[in-house]
Amino acid sequence: MGAPVEGTAGVRGNRDFDHELIDDAPALAARDPGGMLRAVASAGAQVREAAALTAETDLSQLGEEGRPRAVLVVGAGTAARSGDILATIAGPKCLVPVLTHRSVEVPGWIGAADVVIAVSASGRSPEALASAEAAGRRGARLVAIGAPDSPLQGLAERFRAPYVGIPRRGPARANLWGLTVPVLLAARTLGLVKVNEADLAETATRLDLEADRCRPTAESFVNRAKTLALNLAGSVPVIWGDSPLAHVAARRFGDMLAANARYPVVTDALGEAGRGNVGLLDGVFGALAEAERDIFADPDEDGATGSPQRLKIVLLCDGGLADEDAAQSSDRRAAVVQEIAERRGVDVGVVTAEGGSALERLASIVSAPDFASVYLGLGHGLDPMAVPAVTELKEKLRKA
């Protein structure tokens, strides 16, 4: 067996999930020294703070030259998710292409007719810096979003572009809403989305409500985040979203499960599941695993934990599709997939969106999964704040 990887001591966690821990709030706090649960619970406050900070920034120059040829949101990880959210909120009827770019290689087509929104929680990501530099040199309209007093702010000031400074609290993945709100408001200035103050207020309130529902002191039988974590423990999660909005939420859930709980995850749009991914239900983690399962096995006896890992399906259901035919088709697809999965012995959980605006509905199906990913990691004895492999990768790349 190889030697332990340097820097991973104390964060290895346990193979088995500690079910009793989930309803022990003091024990949860002890296993979360970095305060990831607190960071996730700050989502509503992030919306309000980011809206206020963006209002203090003069974005008028963005709209002075009229409709752009294209809008490019540049960033990596959570910063890039803000671009995905913008594209989804803008929708297919948007007259301007809204694209998300995740590479340091700047697209050659960016020019004076375009708008570049560079996003980085730290203000240091190579992707955001490279595109902001190129946008400034090529005469494109630029707006940048990130940590105050960072290299990205310096670039924005150099090109006299607006900069929204968002204080960083915890890792970037815990700052989704702080990064997303300025992106949406910049797009509103361009006339691409209709996100008003009431939408933001209702979204913040929804996030506060979900944080209260999912708080550590709320027991698992009334806490849908804890229930979700308990259902996913020891499984291979497959997350499908039934609409473009829910698909973004599914990918976000995959990000959080990988980082906070170190779980491998399959995410996709429910409409794409029938074109390949639904075949997982008949594989070694689906129907074949069920066929090999000994229903008389005692899970507490030695060897029982060696049974095949199982798929667990989570359907994120938006329920807010404007097209009635599309909504009915989505509902039918979700019901059929659930029936097919359960017939093969694969559990299916459903998280349904609540709220009026698209942004509020998104918040309602992002919040509980965010909390669930943290509870899942804590149940395995992992510190969600510490991701040694990510830190090691960044350090080695920086040295290279």
Side-chain angles (χ1 to χ4, degrees), residues 99-265:
L99 309 171
T100 303
H101 188 67
R102 293 172 163 83
S103 173
V104 294
E105 296 181 3
V106 181
W109 54 263
I110 289 179
D114 306 305
V115 169
V116 172
I117 304 177
V119 188
S120 169
S122 66
R124 298 176 180 276
S125 84
E127 297 82 3
L129 291 172
S131 289
E133 171 80 28
R137 283 190 289 101
R138 299 178 191 178
R141 281 175 274 178
L142 170 67
V143 58
I145 300 157
D149 303 317
S150 65
L152 185 58
Q153 180 170 1
L155 263 180
E157 291 173 351
R158 178 175 141 202
F159 292 112
R160 298 182 180 179
Y163 187 82
V164 184
I166 301 295
R168 183 172 178 178
R169 295 182 174 84
R173 62 186 180 277
N175 287 269
L176 173 68
W177 296 99
L179 298 176
T180 298
V181 168
V183 171
L184 293 174
L185 293 180
R188 184 181 72 176
T189 302
L190 293 166
L192 304 183
V193 294
K194 295 180 180 178
V195 176
N196 56 42
E197 277 61 37
D199 294 332
L200 294 174
E202 289 165 1
T203 299
T205 300
R206 173 67 57 181
L207 289 166
D208 289 343
L209 174 63
E210 292 295 332
D212 184 62
R213 287 175 172 176
C214 300
R215 68 189 186 279
T217 54
E219 296 187 357
S220 53
F221 66 90
V222 294
N223 186 325
R224 66 175 181 167
K226 289 183 177 181
T227 299
L228 191 52
L230 288 166
N231 289 341
L232 290 177
S235 73
V236 179
V238 178
I239 319 297
W240 288 326
D242 77 340
S243 73
L245 197 76
H247 185 203
V248 171
R251 286 183 286 166
R252 162 67 176 182
F253 195 11
D255 295 343
M256 295 293 273
L257 283 170
N260 294 331
R262 326 304 194 242
Y263 268 51
V265 191

Side-chain angles (χ1 to χ4, degrees), residues 16 21-22 24 39 63 145 168 171 262 269 315 319 343 369 379 385 393:
D16 296 328
L21 175 84
I22 287 296
D24 187 339
I145 300 157
R168 183 172 178 178
R262 326 304 194 242
L315 297 179
R343 197 150 27 88
M385 281 287 190
L393 175 64

Side-chain angles (χ1 to χ4, degrees), residues 13 20 67 106 187 232 253 266 302 304 393 398:
E20 295 182 359
R67 182 189 300 163
V106 181
L232 290 177
F253 195 11
V266 177
D302 292 340
L393 175 64
R398 192 178 297 116

